[in-house]
Amino acid sequence: MVGSDDYVTSGRRIGGRWKWGDGSYVNNGYRKWTGQTTSGDCLQASGGLGGGWESTECENRNKYICQRAIPGRLTWGYDNNRHTDPPSLWWKQYPLCRGNQQSPIDIPPIMHAPCGGASGVAEFQQTKDASWIIHNTGRLVIIFPAHGTTMWTTFKDGRPNLTVRYMALKWGSNAMMGSEHSFGGDRFAGEFQIFHHEVAGEIQALSFMIRERLHPDNGRWNSIFAKIPAVSKLWKSSLFKAPTNGITHLIGDTVRSGYTPNFILGLGVKYRGSLTSPPCSQNVVWTIYPRTFQLSSRQMQQLRGIRMEGGLAMSGSMRPTQQYNPQLCLLRS
């Protein structure tokens, strides 16, 4: 079947043609797919928010594809002027998007109570010789582990590790309008979000604020920005070797020496909310880190030059702040 948002689901490729799970052939209008298989002949969803995908062995349990068909059209977006369904109208297709626990939020500048019984991230880890895929979804840029790579987060309180599903980059048209979350009404140039696979009905999300500086570039992000030209057009993807230290390598700054990953991870604000894009599921536990890292104006302009549907610049990839006042707690580690 063809699902909402022009996704094709429940199929596999057999003999050079795609078949549905029931064995019938996919019609000719859906023969061309974005992305590439690097293992086996099957594809499965990876990073549902942005529509990311990864190759998988056909012998794996879930023998289906989840790839955007061409031709196709984005049916929701972040820009009020360029999409049929901007954020204010998402609820028409996805009713939860006007639920009562929606993210992102503005975090007030007050003293929050400590998060009882919880401690912060210990470290980010990944399998040896890891590879990542960066993908332009037409709405934002996501990064997810390639086939054969696993990424996970460990915690100081010894709770079970969480497997990383994907990372998302959010930005806006200028240095003061790019983050989804804000602090006391102040926004940042961008936001770097990490989403884990759902466990016991909850999705744990970590989010880092990005400030924009004139120069120099933040060298920790060189491997990412080296791939931006390859994904500058709609639905383009590119495989690359992950930084040796994985996500840890990205959290910090090559200029501001005190802003190490440990320092940035040392303070967070936690609350229960939702996904910030359809279907807006209200089962996300957010930890927002107010200690920022910086990217240069040149690096931010590279992001703002990425193209979306119709060849338009992707000048904004964030949802407006929602009118939700959850219970917040302070996480120190």
Side-chain angles (χ1 to χ4, degrees), residues 286-327:
W286 286 93
T287 303
I288 313 298
Y289 296 93
R291 293 171 177 170
T292 64
F293 63 85
Q294 297 182 349
L295 296 177
S296 70
S297 293
R298 189 185 77 87
Q299 289 173 315
M300 293 303 303
Q301 285 303 115
Q302 281 187 266
L303 295 178
R304 294 172 188 138
I306 293 174
R307 299 291 157 174
M308 54 188 279
E309 190 174 30
L312 300 170
M314 197 184 294
S315 59
S317 58
M318 68 288 183
R319 186 187 193 188
T321 300
Q322 303 298 294
Q323 298 302 310
Y324 169 44
N325 297 304
Q327 182 177 355

Side-chain angles (χ1 to χ4, degrees), residues 24-226:
S24 61
Y25 283 109
V26 176
N27 66 54
N28 290 338
Y30 295 95
R31 276 180 149 181
K32 186 178 180 182
W33 311 93
T34 60
Q36 296 180 346
T37 53
T38 58
S39 177
D41 286 320
C42 292
L43 295 163
Q44 67 178 12
S46 176
L49 271 184
W53 15 86
E54 62 184 5
S55 61
T56 186
E57 299 290 347
C58 290
E59 290 72 24
N60 287 354
R61 181 177 179 182
N62 295 317
K63 299 175 180 177
Y64 61 90
I65 58 173
C66 186
Q67 281 283 39
R68 179 176 301 281
I70 300 175
R73 186 179 179 280
L74 303 179
T75 59
W76 62 266
Y78 293 99
D79 194 309
N80 283 288
N81 298 316
R82 296 174 179 170
H83 291 272
T84 303
D85 286 341
S88 60
L89 298 178
W90 288 352
W91 62 270
K92 290 186 173 182
Q93 291 186 76
Y94 307 95
L96 267 180
C97 292
R98 62 174 181 181
N100 59 3
Q101 297 180 30
Q102 289 293 293
S103 300
I105 63 168
D106 178 60
I107 298 170
I110 59 175
M111 186 65 70
H112 303 292
C115 298
S119 65
V121 171
E123 59 182 338
F124 299 103
Q125 298 183 357
Q126 62 186 12
T127 49
K128 186 179 179 181
D129 299 323
S131 294
W132 295 350
I133 295 173
I134 185 170
H135 177 64
N136 175 353
T137 73
R139 304 182 182 96
L140 71 160
V141 168
I142 62 172
I143 303 165
F144 54 93
H147 177 76
T149 294
T150 301
M151 304 161 62
W152 64 95
T153 304
T154 66
F155 298 89
K156 293 182 177 179
D157 58 9
R159 78 180 97 156
N161 300 339
L162 292 176
T163 304
V164 173
R165 189 176 182 188
Y166 66 95
M167 301 163 276
L169 273 170
K170 302 297 184 81
W171 66 87
S173 58
N174 61 66
M176 303 303 294
M177 187 62 69
S179 64
E180 291 194 308
H181 291 87
S182 58
F183 286 83
D186 293 332
R187 303 178 82 112
F188 301 87
E191 192 165 332
F192 175 54
Q193 299 171 343
I194 302 167
F195 293 88
H196 298 89
H197 283 279
E198 184 175 318
V199 175
E202 289 185 345
I203 298 170
Q204 298 283 336
L206 312 176
S207 197
F208 302 86
M209 303 299 106
I210 302 173
R211 286 190 184 274
E212 181 176 340
R213 63 173 176 237
L214 185 60
H215 58 77
D217 291 350
N218 185 342
R220 286 178 174 264
W221 282 72
N222 285 349
S223 61
I224 305 296
F225 281 94

